[in-house]
């Protein structure tokens, strides 16, 4: 049984077209480089005024866990250590509700303990690659 030449040519052309479509659909995806996930957006650095009056929960939410927590009489001192600075946060109990809140903060150099601008240290602490890990209490 012989198929007419025109019909055979049509079937051959259809087979080649389908084959070409499958190849072009697969080829581009095979040649695309793997995409790495988009970098996580860095959160903006907190400013000293952002921290004023915050309690422990607010500070933890904004800055994360401190490297060191020290208790002295009526105060709690939270220390955050970055590669270039140490930030000390001084929390005292406020009279009406006895909740300890931030009343003072200081920044100093890791190298020689010389005073630093607190905003610059906060900016450094907002960069996770420069934040040193917390120690156990």
């Amino acid at each position: 049984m012989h198929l007419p030449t025109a019909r055979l040519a049509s079937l051959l052309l259809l087979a080649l077209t389908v084959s070409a479509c499958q190849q072009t659909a697969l080829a581009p995806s095979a040649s695309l480089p793997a995409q790495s996930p988009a970098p996580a957006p860095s959160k903006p650095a907190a400013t000293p005024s952002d921290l004023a009056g915050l309690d422990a929960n607010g500070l933890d939410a904004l800055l994360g866990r401190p490297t060191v927590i020290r208790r002295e009489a009526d105060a709690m001192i939270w220390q955050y250590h970055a590669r270039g600075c140490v930030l000390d946060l001084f929390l005292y109990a406020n009279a009406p509700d006895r909740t300890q809140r931030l009343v003072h903060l200081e920044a100093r150099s890791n190298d020689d303990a010389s005073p630093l601008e607190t905003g610059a240290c906060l900016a450094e602490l907002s960069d996770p690659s420069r934040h040193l890990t917390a120690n156990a209490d």
Side-chain angles (χ1 to χ4, degrees):
M1 191 156 120
H2 285 74
L3 292 172
T5 307
R7 191 167 187 194
L8 184 58
S10 294
L11 286 174
L12 185 56
L13 183 59
L14 179 63
L16 289 173
T17 303
V18 170
S19 175
C21 288
Q22 288 176 343
Q23 288 176 352
T24 56
L26 296 176
S29 63
S31 64
L32 290 176
Q35 292 184 356
S36 59
S42 61
K43 66 180 182 180
T47 65
S49 61
D50 293 335
L51 305 179
L54 290 179
D55 64 5
N57 291 332
L59 292 169
D60 193 289
L62 198 58
L63 299 175
R65 184 146 176 87
T67 309
V68 175
I69 296 176
R70 194 172 76 233
R71 298 180 196 316
E72 292 184 7
D74 293 339
M76 265 197 324
I77 297 96
W78 285 22
Q79 283 187 352
Y80 290 87
H81 294 222
R83 296 204 195 303
C85 67
V86 175
L87 181 69
D88 292 311
L89 306 178
F90 297 86
L91 292 85
Y92 289 92
N94 107 3
D97 65 2
R98 304 294 304 153
T99 300
Q100 291 195 315
R101 297 189 181 279
L102 179 70
V103 297
H104 182 71
L105 64 157
E106 295 176 358
R108 65 181 185 277
S109 167
N110 267 344
D111 298 329
D112 61 4
S114 61
L116 293 176
E117 200 273 317
T118 54
C121 190
L122 281 167
E124 187 170 337
L125 286 166
S126 72
D127 179 355
S129 68
R130 300 186 60 81
H131 194 181
L132 302 179
T133 57
N135 295 331
D137 292 338

